Amino acid sequence: MITLNEICLAYGEKVIFNEISETIGQRDRIGLVGVNGSGKSTLFKVLLNELELNAGEIERPSFVTIGYLPQDGIESKGKTLYAEAESAFADVLTLQSQIDSATDRMYELEPDCPEYYEIIESIGAWEQQLENHEPEKMKSRIQRVLVGLGFSQKDMERDTGEFSGGWQMRIALAKLLLKTPSLLLLDEPTNHLDIVSQNWLEKYLVNYTGSLIVISHDKAFLNTVTNKTFELKFGNMHVYSGNYTFYEKASAERLATQRKHSDNQKKEIARQKEFINRFRSNQKKASMVQSRIKQLDKVEIIEIEREERKIFFRFPEPPPSSQKVIELIDMHKAYGEIKVFRGLTLRIDKGDRIAVVGVNGAGKSTLARLLAGTDKIDAGKREVGVNTVIGYFAQQQTEELNPNKSVLEEVEASAQDNPNAQPRAALGALLFSGNDQHKSISVLSGGERNRVALAKMLMRPANCIILDEPTNHLDIRSKEVLQDAIKLFPGTVILVSHDRDFLDPVVNKVLEVRPDGSRMLTCNVSEYIARIEAEAGL
């Protein structure tokens, strides 16, 4: 469907793509992985013709359409939610011309050509879309997608301008799904979704009729929706015929094989050099010596692939804790006329490891702030255990960093009351070494800002840590390191996150927050999802 032919792109000395060649086929489900800065979003821009390559080309038939969801920055207003979603069908009338163009191309191909059958499948999908354009079918599709992404029936007639940034991205995603392009490019599509909506999206994408390429740091999401993995690493692309878990295993095996071949080559070179040195002065074996010297000169040394740096992260040893950590008793909280909590009673005990889940807008981040004490309750009580020391990572923590300070200055400011803190060592462990520690906060990427905020948490030991979406902007490897740190932390943990793979190994309870109440369940998040599906009769 789309072919990359030896594409090259570099910014100065930094090579982004080094003669990459690959094909994106019909119905491919591709997870695009790599550390931050490896070129994932850049590849999307190249596919969208928004960047010019230094060399190479991208072949794409005229009938292939591409839909793109960026991480953020999309906003709509002036139409009702339903009307905005309905506008996704404006391009349906062009489907007939796409069918005609694809049919002409099909007649140019031999029946045994793979592209021939891809075109037949595309034509079938477009004809189905034309059929779905019937008013009743269109209405039911719009309703199904919007409700699946978390909108309620009463939202349908609201002006889209009333929705916040996260909901704006859901509107954009809904329109993309309804348009059904040949290729979907999704950049962190789950960032603005709650666990329930993410679960719905996974099921929808599994049955999607076109192809998709997903950039995501959510391993469970990638495992569910992808069947192929493109890894970008130091300018090269490695392709694996499986999901993320398959890629992890196959990648490790490939590197192990590479090391083995390198070791064997070194041993063979050493053996040949020993022979050469041993018989260099022996006239009878002069021809053999010269032959082996020539062979060594022709040997291509196997270079072992460089490993990317990983962050190292450990929470400070917590001070002793009392059995009761935090308790809310008949707590009420409202913002103007919006009543978030009405009489919530909740007790957090020593050793609890709780995932806070629920639909967006239910009050998860509000609850985190109330538990941390950064927001005041309107009525009721908040009691903190005698020895409770709270460490809090806010969802907007990175936005609260002082842009006028350097990385080191920002972290040192958090360590003023702790003589045992080691700001430079903490930053070094989080990949800020040397001159990186003197960078201005204002020039940092989202992932770098997150690491600075995590470094600030290391400056003050706590026995109860409250983390609100701590994995935003972290790549998969960095999330795994943070996950390991939480596993090793012996204190109490409260996590607001929608990342099932991140949460499952570190929590023993799930606190479901709903507009009509809340409940605490003793399970992990996957078990929670299975439970709510069973309750809904799915």
Side-chain angles (χ1 to χ4, degrees):
M1 187 171 71
I2 297 177
T3 304
L4 313 181
N5 286 325
E6 296 185 349
I7 64 170
C8 298
L9 182 65
Y11 297 117
E13 295 182 357
K14 182 175 176 59
V15 177
I16 308 298
F17 307 132
N18 181 26
E19 296 185 352
I20 290 175
S21 295
E22 193 50 53
T23 299
I24 302 164
Q26 179 73 17
R27 293 282 297 175
D28 269 354
R29 301 283 191 273
I30 300 166
L32 183 58
V33 303
V35 298
N36 291 340
S38 60
K40 300 187 296 294
S41 295
T42 302
L43 182 60
F44 275 11
K45 291 179 181 178
V46 167
L47 289 169
L48 292 163
N49 291 324
E50 293 179 0
L51 277 179
E52 189 174 340
L53 294 166
N54 298 140
E57 62 177 356
I58 295 179
E59 296 178 3
R60 186 178 82 199
S62 59
F63 56 82
V64 170
T65 55
I66 296 180
Y68 171 53
L69 182 77
Q71 286 191 34
D72 49 41
I74 294 181
E75 185 176 354
S76 59
K77 58 183 177 180
K79 291 183 179 179
T80 66
L81 172 63
Y82 183 88
E84 184 67 29
E86 189 179 37
S87 70
F89 291 97
D91 295 336
V92 169
L93 298 179
T94 67
L95 282 174
Q96 189 58 55
S97 63
Q98 287 177 228
I99 291 171
D100 294 341
S101 175
T103 301
D104 291 341
R105 172 61 177 161
M106 186 177 67
Y107 287 136
E108 297 172 2
L109 300 171
E110 295 296 329
D112 59 351
C113 173
E115 186 182 349
Y116 184 90
Y117 294 99
E118 288 183 357
I119 290 176
I120 290 176
E121 192 169 348
S122 294
I123 290 173
W126 293 329
E127 288 176 341
Q128 182 64 48
Q129 286 181 54
L130 280 176
E131 185 180 332
N132 288 340
H133 195 49
E134 296 171 20
E136 285 307 310
K137 290 185 178 181
M138 185 174 68
K139 183 177 180 179
S140 65
R141 282 190 66 206
I142 292 172
Q143 295 271 3
R144 180 165 65 93
V145 170
L146 289 175
V147 171
L149 289 175
F151 295 98
S152 64
Q153 288 297 329
K154 65 181 180 181
D155 288 330
M156 300 297 168
E157 297 307 313
R158 289 176 60 189
D159 189 294
T160 54
E162 298 176 16
F163 293 95
S164 63
W167 289 98
Q168 289 282 351
M169 296 309 296
R170 293 194 194 201
I171 295 171
L173 176 57
K175 289 174 63 179
L176 268 186
L177 297 178
L178 290 167
K179 283 182 177 180
T180 324
S182 310
L183 173 63
L184 270 177
L185 303 178
L186 305 177
D187 194 347
E188 297 290 355
T190 63
N191 268 2
H192 304 286
L193 301 180
D194 52 66
I195 284 176
V196 176
S197 298
Q198 179 174 324
N199 191 46
W200 177 88
L201 179 62
E202 288 175 3
K203 289 179 169 58
Y204 190 95
L205 292 178
V206 165
N207 297 305
Y208 186 70
T209 56
S211 302
L212 61 93
I213 305 179
V214 182
I215 298 172
S216 178
H217 295 153
D218 188 321
K219 191 191 299 186
F221 182 77
L222 287 173
N223 278 339
T224 301
V225 304
T226 67
N227 57 20
K228 185 182 287 188
T229 302
F230 287 0
E231 179 197 42
L232 287 172
K233 193 173 185 181
F234 300 123
N236 299 311
M237 179 183 282
H238 304 289
V239 178
Y240 299 86
S241 57
N243 62 16
Y244 190 85
T245 296
F246 177 91
Y247 147 73
E248 278 190 307
K249 182 180 178 182
S251 175
E253 289 173 351
R254 184 177 65 82
L255 289 174
T257 300
Q258 194 179 75
R259 291 190 187 97
K260 183 178 179 180
H261 288 167
S262 177
D263 289 342
N264 290 340
Q265 186 186 64
K266 287 175 182 176
K267 290 176 183 177
E268 178 60 19
I269 290 172
R271 191 177 69 83
Q272 296 292 356
K273 284 183 176 179
E274 182 185 1
F275 179 90
I276 292 167
N277 292 332
R278 184 176 177 185
F279 296 106
R280 189 182 294 273
S281 302
N282 190 324
Q283 291 297 322
K284 293 181 179 180
K285 296 192 177 184
S287 61
M288 292 179 64
V289 168
Q290 287 303 314
S291 175
R292 297 197 183 194
I293 289 173
K294 288 179 182 179
Q295 287 177 6
L296 283 181
D297 288 340
K298 293 178 181 178
V299 170
E300 290 188 17
I301 301 299
I302 297 172
E303 296 286 344
I304 297 177
E305 202 169 283
R306 289 182 294 160
E307 287 291 333
E308 287 137 338
R309 295 167 68 200
K310 286 181 66 174
I311 66 171
F312 177 84
F313 186 87
R314 291 292 181 270
F315 289 101
E317 189 66 25
S321 171
S322 50
Q323 182 58 34
K324 182 174 82 172
V325 178
I326 309 170
E327 188 172 12
L328 302 176
I329 304 170
D330 194 26
M331 185 271 292
H332 292 253
K333 181 64 181 178
Y335 295 101
E337 296 181 357
I338 301 174
K339 295 180 180 180
V340 185
F341 294 108
R342 307 173 186 179
L344 175 65
T345 294
L346 172 68
R347 175 172 167 138
I348 311 295
D349 284 315
K350 177 181 179 180
D352 277 349
R353 308 175 78 81
I354 301 169
V356 182
V357 303
V359 298
N360 285 2
K364 301 187 298 293
S365 292
T366 299
L367 180 60
R369 292 193 297 271
L370 292 169
L371 290 170
T374 61
D375 276 12
K376 292 184 178 179
I377 63 175
D378 297 334
K381 290 183 179 181
R382 172 184 176 268
E383 296 181 354
V384 177
V386 178
N387 297 317
T388 297
V389 181
I390 295 173
Y392 174 50
F393 180 94
Q395 185 174 356
Q396 307 302 326
Q397 190 89 17
T398 57
E399 296 176 11
E400 296 174 9
L401 302 177
N402 188 335
N404 299 317
K405 286 185 177 181
S406 70
V407 170
L408 182 59
E409 289 170 342
E410 181 72 12
V411 177
E412 283 179 334
S414 299
Q416 289 179 355
D417 299 327
N418 181 10
N420 297 320
Q422 297 179 325
R424 289 181 183 274
L427 285 169
L430 289 163
L431 301 186
F432 290 102
S433 56
N435 292 332
D436 290 341
Q437 297 189 4
H438 300 289
K439 279 184 178 179
S440 170
I441 295 292
S442 61
V443 302
L444 300 184
S445 67
E448 289 172 326
R449 285 171 175 260
N450 241 36
R451 286 189 272 127
V452 172
L454 288 171
K456 291 177 69 174
M457 283 197 74
L458 294 179
M459 297 302 100
R460 296 181 65 85
N463 50 33
C464 174
I465 55 174
I466 302 173
L467 307 174
D468 189 358
E469 297 291 358
T471 62
N472 282 355
H473 306 294
L474 292 183
D475 59 43
I476 289 177
R477 288 184 176 87
S478 297
K479 286 202 300 186
E480 288 172 349
V481 173
L482 176 57
Q483 187 184 65
D484 289 341
I486 294 172
K487 287 179 186 176
L488 293 171
F489 179 67
T492 302
V493 180
I494 301 168
L495 276 165
V496 180
S497 177
H498 58 267
D499 190 326
R500 184 169 74 250
D501 184 78
F502 178 77
L503 291 171
D504 272 351
V506 299
V507 303
N508 53 27
K509 292 182 180 179
V510 171
L511 174 60
E512 180 187 53
V513 179
R514 305 188 308 272
D516 60 345
S518 64
R519 59 176 174 171
M520 186 82 79
L521 304 170
T522 303
C523 60
N524 64 24
V525 177
S526 291
E527 292 164 341
Y528 161 74
I529 290 173
R531 178 165 179 166
I532 61 173
E533 286 183 340
E535 291 172 349
L538 299 177

